[in-house]
Amino acid sequence: MAKLKTSFFCQNCGTQYAKWQGQCNACKEWNTIVEEVIQKEEKTSWKPTSEVKKAPKPLKVTEIDSSEEVRMNTLDGELNRVLGGGIVPGSLILLGGEPGIGKSTLLLQISLKLPYKTLYVSGEESQKQIKMRAERITPNGDNCYILTETKTQNIFRQIQEIEPEIVIIDSIQTLHTDYIESTAGSISQIRECTAELIKFAKETNVPVILIGHITKDGTIAGPKILEHMVDTVLQFEGDRNHVYRILRSLKNRFGSTAELGIYEMQGSGLREVSNPSEILLSHREEELSGTAIASTLEGMRPLMIEIQALVSTAVYGTPQRSTTGYNAKRLNMLLAVLEKRAGFRLGTKDVFLNVTGGISVDDPAIDLAVVASILSSNEDIAVGKDVCFAGEVGLSGEIRPVNRVEQRIQEAEKLGFATIFVSKYNKLSTKFPGIKVILVSKIEEVVEHLFG
């Protein structure tokens, strides 16, 4: 038997070292370097049927075929949008998320609906467990094959027999290969198993979807190189106490990373939410102070979200500033602008801000709605239910223009809003007969319109 070879790897970034040391030189993390066995035979699990393969030749840019890649339709509108139009053949997709958030449910549901022959490999659940969930989601799934296996050699043997068109692995942390003598889930095992799956995907043009565990910080577990190796990284977010789930793209070599998919968790699986504005707006009968509606964009999709604010006298010495779904530093900036430019004394008051629906928004266009909700709560005067906002607030108190404002106004008009506040500096090329567009340039003008 060959002598065992060991090396030291950083568990955070995957950097290899010849000997142990306390701090990783690459990511500067402490106590993350561990010893692993790296004895590896010069072979891989995946052996293509045609051993003879022509080596690629360099081509001029003008000679490369520029025709668009034909994508595989998943029959799931939200997933197609996030991926950029469907699954690209030969791509490797990594899906991460909290335990119990619905990663396995989402991929099993899609594999049961797909018109392609799909192999669903599970290293965490038995075939009976998956069958029970499949019957709850959809009773029909003639194109879906279930395999419970963790060794890559056995998985590739079954792949050569079945010849699937899509392979789903649940999860990459449970796989292990015989050519690396370390435990499943270790850095070297994750890296080697992923490399074998990439080799298989690129040579056969069969897309592979991986489920990945995440750490307590919310990042994909395992070496950072795992995210660099795959083509697309998706994040499945949401609170297990809420029914809504959000699918984001953190990396996408074949499309935009700004798109967003929204699902509703039901007893029969995940339901696509085609009009997210309905779930992000609360259906209240009476007008309450401290709420304002903002028009935001996620990728190409306009959303109407509700901003809630609570301003109260500070009981303790230092006023509290608490936000959910919004940048806390930006909230402090807006409060300073209101104090300095608009004359509102908020320095001695607690301010709590919440974006409803459990989503996080980075769009600066919701600044105006944040300001309106804070002032509404402070004055205890309700903003009308049919009023919405789309504008960025500058440090001098000016209302700055935002991009694609006409698309935001059209969404507000479609949902029945009567008035929208936008920046005076936005150039509007079309007229909107169904909604009143109020152009404002300073915070004082907004205050006068709302509370004057």
Side-chain angles (χ1 to χ4, degrees):
M1 182 179 173
K3 184 180 177 182
L4 292 179
K5 294 181 181 178
T6 62
S7 189
F8 296 85
F9 293 91
C10 172
Q11 291 180 302
N12 186 53
C13 66
T15 307
Q16 183 175 353
Y17 296 93
K19 61 180 182 179
W20 185 88
Q21 59 189 56
Q23 186 186 32
C24 174
N25 296 332
C27 65
K28 307 302 180 185
E29 290 290 325
W30 287 91
N31 299 322
T32 58
I33 297 175
V34 295
E35 184 179 16
E36 289 187 9
V37 179
I38 59 166
Q39 179 66 38
K40 179 185 172 186
E41 300 178 38
E42 289 301 318
K43 39 175 128 169
T44 57
S45 298
W46 167 247
K47 296 176 183 176
T49 52
S50 57
E51 294 293 340
V52 181
K53 188 180 178 183
K54 291 183 180 179
K57 293 181 180 180
L59 293 173
K60 292 181 182 178
V61 174
T62 53
E63 295 175 349
I64 299 172
D65 182 16
S66 61
S67 59
E68 193 172 340
E69 185 79 54
V70 178
R71 294 176 182 254
M72 305 169 78
N73 185 7
T74 64
L75 301 182
D76 186 302
E78 300 297 300
L79 181 61
N80 283 345
R81 178 188 290 109
V82 175
L83 290 175
I87 299 174
V88 175
S91 63
L92 211 74
I93 300 168
L94 177 64
L95 174 65
E98 292 275 351
I101 205 71
K103 303 183 296 294
S104 302
T105 303
L106 175 65
L107 291 187
L108 180 60
Q109 178 175 313
I110 290 167
S111 63
L112 292 171
K113 290 195 300 183
L114 281 171
Y116 309 100
K117 187 188 288 187
T118 308
L119 178 63
Y120 186 97
V121 182
S122 176
E124 299 180 341
E125 297 175 292
S126 67
Q127 289 176 318
K128 286 187 177 179
Q129 285 177 295
I130 299 170
K131 168 71 173 174
M132 288 165 60
R133 188 191 299 144
E135 285 183 339
R136 191 180 78 241
I137 296 171
T138 173
N140 299 320
D142 293 337
N143 291 323
C144 182
Y145 293 80
I146 306 296
L147 173 66
T148 54
E149 182 59 67
T150 57
K151 188 186 289 189
T152 56
Q153 286 77 17
N154 297 340
I155 292 171
F156 286 124
R157 199 174 297 122
Q158 295 299 325
I159 285 174
Q160 286 180 320
E161 286 184 17
I162 298 173
E163 296 183 351
E165 295 171 89
I166 294 179
V167 176
I168 296 173
I169 306 291
D170 182 11
S171 65
I172 186 62
Q173 277 84 7
T174 62
L175 294 193
H176 66 93
T177 176
D178 285 343
Y179 305 125
I180 294 287
E181 295 190 16
S182 59
T183 57
S186 63
I187 291 172
S188 51
Q189 282 286 7
I190 292 174
R191 185 167 46 209
E192 182 62 24
C193 292
T194 306
E196 291 181 5
L197 289 166
I198 289 175
K199 188 172 188 292
F200 158 74
K202 301 306 177 187
E203 290 187 1
T204 61
N205 224 26
V206 173
V208 178
I209 304 176
L210 309 175
I211 290 179
H213 298 163
I214 67 168
T215 63
K216 61 182 179 181
D217 298 327
T219 56
I220 304 289
K224 194 69 178 175
I225 195 172
L226 175 62
E227 296 180 46
H228 293 294
M229 292 168 75
V230 300
D231 298 309
T232 305
V233 180
L234 304 180
Q235 185 86 1
F236 207 37
E237 303 171 354
D239 190 340
R240 281 186 291 176
N241 300 320
H242 292 82
V243 295
Y244 298 110
R245 305 284 188 268
I246 296 170
L247 185 66
R248 294 182 188 272
S249 175
L250 304 182
K251 170 191 174 182
N252 193 355
R253 287 176 178 159
F254 311 110
S256 170
T257 57
E259 295 297 342
L260 189 77
I262 300 181
Y263 295 88
E264 181 184 1
M265 178 63 84
Q266 297 179 335
S268 58
L270 290 157
R271 181 184 72 86
E272 301 171 49
V273 178
S274 56
N275 186 9
S277 298
E278 292 180 0
I279 67 166
L280 298 174
L281 301 178
S282 62
H283 304 285
R284 58 184 191 274
E285 296 293 329
E286 60 204 36
E287 293 185 349
L288 301 172
S289 64
T291 62
I293 309 299
S295 178
T296 183
L297 287 173
E298 284 286 352
M300 297 299 293
R301 167 188 279 186
L303 300 177
M304 306 300 291
I305 60 172
E306 183 175 319
I307 310 293
Q308 295 180 334
L310 178 62
V311 180
S312 61
T313 305
V315 179
Y316 306 104
T318 306
Q320 298 181 68
R321 304 282 189 259
S322 178
T323 63
T324 304
Y326 188 72
N327 191 322
K329 290 182 179 179
R330 194 158 187 87
L331 172 64
N332 289 330
M333 184 204 79
L334 293 177
L335 292 174
V337 170
L338 287 174
E339 183 115 10
K340 178 78 173 178
R341 304 295 179 188
F344 289 93
R345 302 297 172 206
L346 301 171
T348 59
K349 295 187 178 182
D350 294 336
V351 180
F352 302 94
L353 193 77
N354 176 43
V355 179
T356 60
I359 69 170
S360 298
V361 183
D362 297 324
D363 187 3
I366 72 170
D367 287 353
L368 197 53
V370 170
V371 167
S373 63
I374 291 170
L375 295 181
S376 171
S377 178
N378 186 55
E379 301 294 318
D380 201 19
I381 300 173
V383 176
K385 291 190 293 184
D386 56 353
V387 178
C388 59
F389 304 84
E392 180 183 353
V393 177
L395 286 176
S396 60
E398 82 277 15
I399 310 302
R400 301 176 61 82
V402 295
N403 63 335
R404 289 164 45 201
V405 68
E406 294 182 358
Q407 195 174 346
R408 300 172 193 262
I409 297 172
Q410 285 171 358
E411 178 72 6
E413 185 180 17
K414 186 175 74 175
L415 292 174
F417 286 90
T419 308
I420 183 169
F421 285 80
V422 298
S423 172
K424 184 180 180 180
Y425 308 107
N426 268 117
K427 293 179 173 58
L428 302 177
S429 58
T430 58
K431 294 186 177 181
F432 303 93
I435 188 170
K436 182 182 179 183
V437 180
I438 298 179
L439 303 175
V440 289
S441 59
K442 292 184 179 180
I443 287 182
E444 293 91 322
E445 296 177 28
V446 180
V447 174
E448 188 179 337
H449 274 99
L450 293 176
F451 314 112

